[in-house]
Amino acid sequence: DISGSITAPDVKLNLGGEFIKESTATTFLRQRGYGWLLEVEDDDPEDNKPLLEELDIDLKDIYYKIRCVLMPMPSLGFNRQVVRDNPDFWGPLAVVLFFSMISLYGQFKVVSWIITIWIFGSLTIFLLARVLGGEVAYGQVLGVIGYSLLPLIVIAPVLVVVGSFEVVSTLIKLFGVFWAAYSAASLLVGEEFKTKKPLLIYPIFLLYIYFLSLYTGV
Protein backbone atom coordinates (compact mmCIF):
# COMPACT_ATOMS: atom_id res chain seq x y z
CA ASP A 1 0.00 0.00 0.00
CA ILE A 2 1.08 3.47 -0.80
CA SER A 3 -0.05 6.00 1.68
CA GLY A 4 0.94 9.46 2.76
CA SER A 5 0.00 13.06 2.35
CA ILE A 6 1.19 15.99 0.32
CA THR A 7 1.47 19.29 2.07
CA ALA A 8 1.87 22.61 0.31
CA PRO A 9 5.29 24.13 0.77
CA ASP A 10 5.43 27.08 3.05
CA VAL A 11 6.33 29.79 0.53
CA LYS A 12 6.55 33.36 1.69
CA LEU A 13 7.00 36.58 -0.26
CA ASN A 14 9.15 39.39 0.97
CA LEU A 15 7.27 42.62 0.19
CA GLY A 16 8.88 45.68 1.70
CA GLY A 17 10.31 43.84 4.69
CA GLU A 18 7.05 41.99 5.50
CA PHE A 19 6.56 38.29 4.80
CA ILE A 20 3.20 37.26 3.33
CA LYS A 21 2.30 33.58 3.05
CA GLU A 22 1.11 32.52 -0.40
CA SER A 23 -2.07 30.50 -0.90
CA THR A 24 -1.98 26.95 -2.29
CA ALA A 25 -3.41 28.08 -5.66
CA THR A 26 -0.79 30.81 -5.99
CA THR A 27 2.02 28.37 -5.18
CA PHE A 28 0.62 25.84 -7.68
CA LEU A 29 0.61 28.42 -10.49
CA ARG A 30 4.13 29.61 -9.73
CA GLN A 31 5.56 26.07 -9.65
CA ARG A 32 4.18 25.35 -13.10
CA GLY A 33 5.40 28.55 -14.72
CA TYR A 34 2.13 30.46 -14.70
CA GLY A 35 3.21 33.08 -12.22
CA TRP A 36 2.86 35.75 -14.88
CA LEU A 37 -0.92 35.44 -14.49
CA LEU A 38 -0.58 36.89 -11.00
CA GLU A 39 1.48 39.90 -12.00
CA VAL A 40 -0.14 43.29 -11.64
CA GLU A 41 0.95 46.07 -13.98
CA ASP A 42 1.62 49.51 -12.64
CA ASP A 43 -0.80 52.23 -13.68
CA ASP A 44 0.27 53.95 -16.87
CA PRO A 45 0.18 57.76 -16.42
CA GLU A 46 -1.02 58.08 -20.01
CA ASP A 47 -4.20 56.17 -19.12
CA ASN A 48 -5.18 58.91 -16.67
CA LYS A 49 -5.24 61.78 -19.17
CA PRO A 50 -8.23 64.16 -19.14
CA LEU A 51 -10.91 63.40 -21.72
CA LEU A 52 -10.23 66.53 -23.80
CA GLU A 53 -6.53 65.70 -23.96
CA GLU A 54 -7.32 62.08 -24.80
CA LEU A 55 -9.47 63.24 -27.74
CA ASP A 56 -6.85 65.82 -28.79
CA ILE A 57 -9.23 68.76 -28.22
CA ASP A 58 -7.57 72.11 -27.49
CA LEU A 59 -10.30 74.61 -26.61
CA LYS A 60 -7.92 77.58 -26.61
CA ASP A 61 -6.67 76.66 -30.07
CA ILE A 62 -10.24 76.30 -31.37
CA TYR A 63 -11.23 79.67 -29.86
CA TYR A 64 -8.23 81.37 -31.49
CA LYS A 65 -9.08 79.85 -34.89
CA ILE A 66 -12.68 81.02 -34.55
CA ARG A 67 -11.46 84.58 -33.99
CA CYS A 68 -9.13 84.28 -37.00
CA VAL A 69 -12.05 83.28 -39.23
CA LEU A 70 -14.51 85.86 -37.94
CA MET A 71 -11.95 88.68 -38.21
CA PRO A 72 -10.01 87.93 -41.42
CA MET A 73 -8.49 91.39 -41.82
CA PRO A 74 -4.66 91.20 -41.69
CA SER A 75 -4.51 94.53 -39.85
CA LEU A 76 -5.98 92.93 -36.71
CA GLY A 77 -2.74 91.06 -36.08
CA PHE A 78 -4.01 87.48 -35.95
CA ASN A 79 -1.79 84.70 -37.25
CA ARG A 80 -4.49 83.37 -39.56
CA GLN A 81 -2.24 80.77 -41.18
CA VAL A 82 -2.60 78.64 -38.05
CA VAL A 83 -6.08 77.68 -39.28
CA ARG A 84 -4.52 76.10 -42.36
CA ASP A 85 -1.13 75.00 -41.07
CA ASN A 86 -2.40 73.40 -37.86
CA PRO A 87 -5.69 71.74 -38.86
CA ASP A 88 -7.93 69.99 -36.37
CA PHE A 89 -11.12 67.97 -36.76
CA TRP A 90 -13.27 68.69 -33.72
CA GLY A 91 -13.48 72.46 -34.15
CA PRO A 92 -14.76 72.43 -37.75
CA LEU A 93 -17.07 69.52 -36.92
CA ALA A 94 -18.60 71.50 -34.06
CA VAL A 95 -19.12 74.51 -36.36
CA VAL A 96 -20.72 72.36 -39.08
CA LEU A 97 -22.99 70.61 -36.56
CA PHE A 98 -24.08 73.93 -35.06
CA PHE A 99 -24.83 75.30 -38.53
CA SER A 100 -26.80 72.14 -39.26
CA MET A 101 -28.86 72.51 -36.08
CA ILE A 102 -29.96 76.05 -36.90
CA SER A 103 -30.66 75.29 -40.56
CA LEU A 104 -34.18 74.86 -41.89
CA TYR A 105 -35.61 75.77 -38.50
CA GLY A 106 -35.08 72.56 -36.59
CA GLN A 107 -35.51 69.99 -39.38
CA PHE A 108 -32.73 67.75 -38.10
CA LYS A 109 -32.78 65.54 -41.19
CA VAL A 110 -30.69 68.24 -42.89
CA VAL A 111 -27.79 67.57 -40.50
CA SER A 112 -26.49 64.54 -42.39
CA TRP A 113 -26.85 66.35 -45.71
CA ILE A 114 -24.86 69.40 -44.56
CA ILE A 115 -22.10 67.15 -43.16
CA THR A 116 -22.01 65.29 -46.48
CA ILE A 117 -21.72 68.57 -48.41
CA TRP A 118 -18.93 69.68 -46.06
CA ILE A 119 -16.93 66.48 -46.56
CA PHE A 120 -17.37 66.09 -50.31
CA GLY A 121 -17.36 69.82 -51.05
CA SER A 122 -14.01 70.08 -49.26
CA LEU A 123 -12.80 67.07 -51.22
CA THR A 124 -13.72 68.81 -54.47
CA ILE A 125 -11.85 71.97 -53.46
CA PHE A 126 -8.87 69.85 -52.40
CA LEU A 127 -8.71 67.95 -55.71
CA LEU A 128 -9.05 71.17 -57.70
CA ALA A 129 -6.31 72.82 -55.64
CA ARG A 130 -3.94 69.90 -56.24
CA VAL A 131 -4.70 69.87 -59.96
CA LEU A 132 -3.86 73.59 -60.08
CA GLY A 133 -0.53 72.93 -58.39
CA GLY A 134 -1.35 73.90 -54.81
CA GLU A 135 0.44 72.26 -51.87
CA VAL A 136 -2.46 71.65 -49.53
CA ALA A 137 -3.70 68.61 -47.62
CA TYR A 138 -7.28 67.41 -47.44
CA GLY A 139 -7.33 67.89 -43.66
CA GLN A 140 -6.35 71.52 -44.12
CA VAL A 141 -9.15 72.14 -46.63
CA LEU A 142 -11.66 70.33 -44.41
CA GLY A 143 -10.72 72.50 -41.43
CA VAL A 144 -10.74 75.81 -43.30
CA ILE A 145 -14.07 75.15 -45.04
CA GLY A 146 -15.64 74.05 -41.76
CA TYR A 147 -14.41 77.01 -39.71
CA SER A 148 -15.40 79.45 -42.42
CA LEU A 149 -19.07 78.57 -41.93
CA LEU A 150 -18.96 80.83 -38.86
CA PRO A 151 -19.94 84.02 -40.79
CA LEU A 152 -23.11 82.26 -41.97
CA ILE A 153 -23.88 81.34 -38.37
CA VAL A 154 -23.37 84.97 -37.33
CA ILE A 155 -25.84 86.33 -39.90
CA ALA A 156 -28.44 83.63 -39.18
CA PRO A 157 -30.17 85.45 -36.26
CA VAL A 158 -30.07 88.72 -38.25
CA LEU A 159 -31.94 87.05 -41.12
CA VAL A 160 -34.63 85.95 -38.69
CA VAL A 161 -35.17 89.58 -37.61
CA VAL A 162 -35.10 91.20 -41.07
CA GLY A 163 -36.65 88.30 -42.97
CA SER A 164 -39.69 90.37 -43.96
CA PHE A 165 -37.50 93.00 -45.65
CA GLU A 166 -36.47 91.30 -48.87
CA VAL A 167 -33.86 93.83 -49.99
CA VAL A 168 -32.13 94.03 -46.60
CA SER A 169 -32.26 90.25 -46.23
CA THR A 170 -30.64 89.77 -49.65
CA LEU A 171 -27.86 92.22 -48.84
CA ILE A 172 -27.14 90.45 -45.54
CA LYS A 173 -27.04 87.08 -47.31
CA LEU A 174 -24.57 88.40 -49.87
CA PHE A 175 -22.47 89.91 -47.10
CA GLY A 176 -22.40 86.60 -45.22
CA VAL A 177 -21.43 84.59 -48.29
CA PHE A 178 -18.68 87.03 -49.28
CA TRP A 179 -17.43 87.06 -45.68
CA ALA A 180 -17.26 83.27 -45.51
CA ALA A 181 -15.78 82.87 -49.00
CA TYR A 182 -13.15 85.55 -48.39
CA SER A 183 -12.15 84.00 -45.07
CA ALA A 184 -11.71 80.56 -46.67
CA ALA A 185 -10.12 81.73 -49.92
CA SER A 186 -7.59 83.96 -48.16
CA LEU A 187 -6.31 80.85 -46.35
CA LEU A 188 -6.48 78.31 -49.16
CA VAL A 189 -5.61 80.38 -52.24
CA GLY A 190 -1.91 81.17 -51.87
CA GLU A 191 0.65 82.71 -54.16
CA GLU A 192 1.40 79.34 -55.73
CA PHE A 193 -1.80 79.64 -57.78
CA LYS A 194 -0.70 82.93 -59.41
CA THR A 195 -3.09 83.59 -62.33
CA LYS A 196 -5.23 80.53 -61.51
CA LYS A 197 -6.76 82.04 -58.36
CA PRO A 198 -10.26 82.60 -59.86
CA LEU A 199 -10.46 78.89 -60.71
CA LEU A 200 -10.32 78.07 -56.98
CA ILE A 201 -12.08 81.12 -55.52
CA TYR A 202 -15.17 80.60 -57.68
CA PRO A 203 -16.04 77.06 -56.45
CA ILE A 204 -15.39 78.14 -52.85
CA PHE A 205 -17.88 80.98 -53.35
CA LEU A 206 -20.44 78.58 -54.88
CA LEU A 207 -19.99 76.14 -52.00
CA TYR A 208 -20.96 78.79 -49.43
CA ILE A 209 -23.90 79.90 -51.56
CA TYR A 210 -25.09 76.30 -51.41
CA PHE A 211 -24.59 76.16 -47.63
CA LEU A 212 -26.66 79.33 -47.28
CA SER A 213 -29.38 77.90 -49.51
CA LEU A 214 -29.61 74.88 -47.19
CA TYR A 215 -30.16 77.27 -44.29
CA THR A 216 -32.76 79.44 -45.98
CA GLY A 217 -34.56 76.49 -47.57
CA VAL A 218 -34.17 77.70 -51.13
Side-chain angles (χ1 to χ4, degrees):
D1 294 336
I2 300 176
S3 61
S5 62
I6 301 176
T7 59
D10 189 12
V11 180
K12 297 181 179 179
L13 296 179
N14 183 0
L15 299 176
E18 298 180 359
F19 289 92
I20 301 176
K21 186 175 180 178
E22 287 188 338
S23 65
T24 303
T26 301
T27 304
F28 177 81
L29 290 174
R30 291 189 184 280
Q31 287 178 343
R32 282 157 179 75
Y34 296 102
W36 56 271
L37 293 173
L38 306 174
E39 295 178 358
V40 179
E41 295 183 358
D42 295 333
D43 292 336
D44 189 353
E46 294 186 356
D47 295 337
N48 299 323
K49 290 182 178 179
L51 180 60
L52 292 180
E53 186 177 348
E54 190 72 25
L55 296 176
D56 196 21
I57 300 176
D58 189 342
L59 295 179
K60 291 183 178 180
D61 181 60
I62 292 175
Y63 175 65
Y64 185 80
K65 290 176 180 177
I66 288 175
R67 294 171 65 192
C68 290
V69 170
L70 291 178
M71 294 176 281
M73 289 73 71
S75 58
L76 295 177
F78 290 107
N79 181 21
R80 301 188 66 247
Q81 289 301 318
V82 72
V83 182
R84 169 178 171 169
D85 298 338
N86 186 27
D88 66 286
F89 176 73
W90 297 110
L93 179 62
V95 173
V96 173
L97 287 177
F98 186 71
F99 178 76
S100 302
M101 292 299 178
I102 66 173
S103 295
L104 298 182
Y105 308 101
Q107 298 183 28
F108 296 114
K109 61 185 179 180
V110 79
V111 172
S112 59
W113 182 241
I114 290 179
I115 292 177
T116 301
I117 296 301
W118 170 47
I119 293 174
F120 287 97
S122 299
L123 179 62
T124 303
I125 301 298
F126 163 71
L127 294 176
L128 183 59
R130 295 306 294 258
V131 168
L132 295 176
E135 295 295 332
V136 64
Y138 176 60
Q140 294 175 322
V141 179
L142 197 68
V144 171
I145 296 297
Y147 273 118
S148 296
L149 274 174
L150 285 167
L152 299 186
I153 295 176
V154 171
I155 68 169
V158 182
L159 291 177
V160 175
V161 176
V162 301
S164 57
F165 303 96
E166 185 175 351
V167 176
V168 178
S169 178
T170 301
L171 291 175
I172 292 176
K173 290 176 184 178
L174 289 175
F175 173 74
V177 171
F178 275 108
W179 186 5
Y182 173 78
S183 182
S186 61
L187 291 169
L188 294 176
V189 184
E191 294 299 326
E192 66 268 24
F193 293 100
K194 297 180 180 179
T195 59
K196 302 176 183 178
K197 288 184 179 181
L199 296 177
L200 192 59
I201 296 175
Y202 181 65
I204 292 175
F205 181 74
L206 292 181
L207 181 61
Y208 286 106
I209 288 180
Y210 190 66
F211 274 124
L212 183 63
S213 70
L214 290 175
Y215 169 73
T216 56
V218 177

